[in-house]
């Protein structure tokens, strides 16, 4: 497969599959390394113990929890993003047109050379991935369960949707800590598997970063997502710039996105016509 198309497909599958990965040490930069450690899964019935908190921390948690519930509400989404992807020995820059119907379909059309050459088109549903590689005149189609051939992780459609729209990758967990850092607030949430740390800008209460990792006694994978350049779209705050760092036992992956032309709840279609004589893979 063409290298650009391969990078595009890996970027889509990677962020889609994060929610089933296991994480470990707290990543803070792109060059963080994490060792993979095989350990036994925590039994489903194992309880999560909530730590005791000071009155000051509990009061701060109560102030920050409403910020966590703020998310972009949408039925349809469309936008274009300049992307840079690094991972698996690949470095690619491309332009991606993205369209979403909430909880139903994610459509991505990718071009290179500043948008002049159409490279690939992907159609992702909760059950499947289909990719047209225009440069090599071939088509990949697979159920979500088969995507493990390309990345060793189960898949979660909602995680990819949240990352593209700018909502939290995960929305759950029990508050276990909160800190006032002067210019930012930090809120930590945990459950039996995951620890999520959220940082909010005090100036306007926008989300600055989200770090998700699993508990230290599980195999190690982590996601750091940074948000910036907020603009108002459809009366809602939208982070036009994102940077993702994903560290797994398989390696490190980086994806940054710079959005423009964003629209929410406008009429949107999802064209996906396979040209004749293309090879099915």
């Amino acid at each position: 497969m063409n290298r650009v198309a391969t990078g595009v497909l890996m970027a889509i599958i990677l962020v889609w599959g994060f929610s089933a990965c296991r994480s470990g040490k707290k990543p803070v930069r792109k060059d963080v390394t994490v060792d993979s450690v095989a350990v036994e899964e925590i039994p489903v019935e194992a309880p999560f113990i909530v730590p005791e908190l000071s009155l000051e921390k509990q009061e701060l948690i109560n102030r920050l929890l409403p910020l966590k519930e703020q998310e972009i509400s949408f039925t349809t989404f469309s936008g274009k993003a300049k992307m840079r992807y690094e991972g698996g020995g690949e470095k690619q820059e491309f332009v991606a047109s993205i369209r979403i119907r909430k909880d139903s379909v994610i459509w991505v059309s990718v071009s290179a050379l500043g948008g002049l050459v159409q490279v690939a088109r992907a159609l992702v549903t909760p059950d499947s991935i289909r990719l047209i590689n225009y440069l090599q005149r071939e088509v990949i189609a697979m159920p979500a369960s088969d995507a493990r051939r390309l990345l060793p992780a189960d898949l979660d459609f909602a995680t990819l949707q949240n990352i593209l729209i700018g909502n939290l990758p995960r929305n759950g967990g029990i508050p276990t800590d909160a800190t006032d850092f002067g210019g930012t607030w930090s809120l930590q949430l945990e459950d039996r598997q995951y620890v999520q740390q959220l940082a909010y800008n005090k100036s306007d209460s926008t989300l600055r970063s989200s770090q998700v990792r699993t508990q230290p006694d599980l195999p190690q994978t982590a996601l750091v997502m940074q948000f910036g350049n907020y603009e108002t779209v459809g009366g809602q705050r939208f982070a036009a710039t994102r940077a993702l760092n994903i560290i797994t036992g398989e390696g490190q992956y980086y994806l940054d996105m710079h959005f423009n032309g964003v629209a929410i709840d406008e009429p949107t279609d999802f064209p996906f016509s396979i040209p004749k004589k293309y090879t099915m893979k």
Side-chain angles (χ1 to χ4, degrees), residues 14 103 140 159 176 197 238:
L14 183 72
D103 301 332
I140 290 177
T159 301
T176 57
Q197 289 183 313
F238 178 84

Side-chain angles (χ1 to χ4, degrees), residues 38-174:
V39 297
E40 185 177 352
E41 293 275 352
I42 294 177
V44 173
E45 64 274 9
F48 175 72
I49 300 174
V50 180
E52 292 187 10
L53 299 172
S54 67
L55 180 60
E56 181 181 8
K57 283 189 177 293
Q58 189 60 61
E59 289 177 347
L60 181 56
I61 285 173
N62 292 340
R63 290 168 53 197
L64 296 181
L65 282 177
L67 300 183
K68 172 182 169 292
E69 300 306 318
Q70 295 178 358
E71 61 177 26
I72 296 175
S73 175
F74 73 103
T75 300
T76 62
F77 167 89
S78 62
K80 184 175 289 187
K82 291 182 179 180
M83 295 194 178
R84 180 164 60 92
Y85 167 79
E86 297 181 21
E90 299 285 345
K91 292 184 179 181
Q92 302 294 342
E93 293 186 5
F94 48 89
V95 176
S97 295
I98 300 167
R99 303 176 186 178
I100 303 173
R101 181 183 294 122
K102 187 175 181 180
D103 301 332
S104 175
V105 60
I106 296 171
W107 177 97
V108 183
S109 182
V110 176
S111 56
L113 299 179
L116 298 177
V117 178
Q118 188 172 31
V119 173
R121 182 166 295 182
L123 191 70
V124 180
T125 72
D127 301 319
S128 66
I129 299 174
R130 287 188 287 167
L131 177 80
I132 302 173
N133 179 352
Y134 292 107
L135 298 183
Q136 301 216 345
R137 302 171 66 87
E138 63 185 25
V139 179
I140 290 177
M142 68 181 76
S145 57
D146 284 356
R148 293 181 71 101
R149 293 189 289 113
L150 299 176
L151 186 77
D154 294 328
L155 303 181
D156 185 288
F157 180 90
T159 301
L160 176 58
Q161 178 176 266
N162 287 340
I163 286 174
L164 292 176
I165 200 70
N167 289 333
L168 295 178
R170 293 182 56 81
N171 190 3
I174 298 171

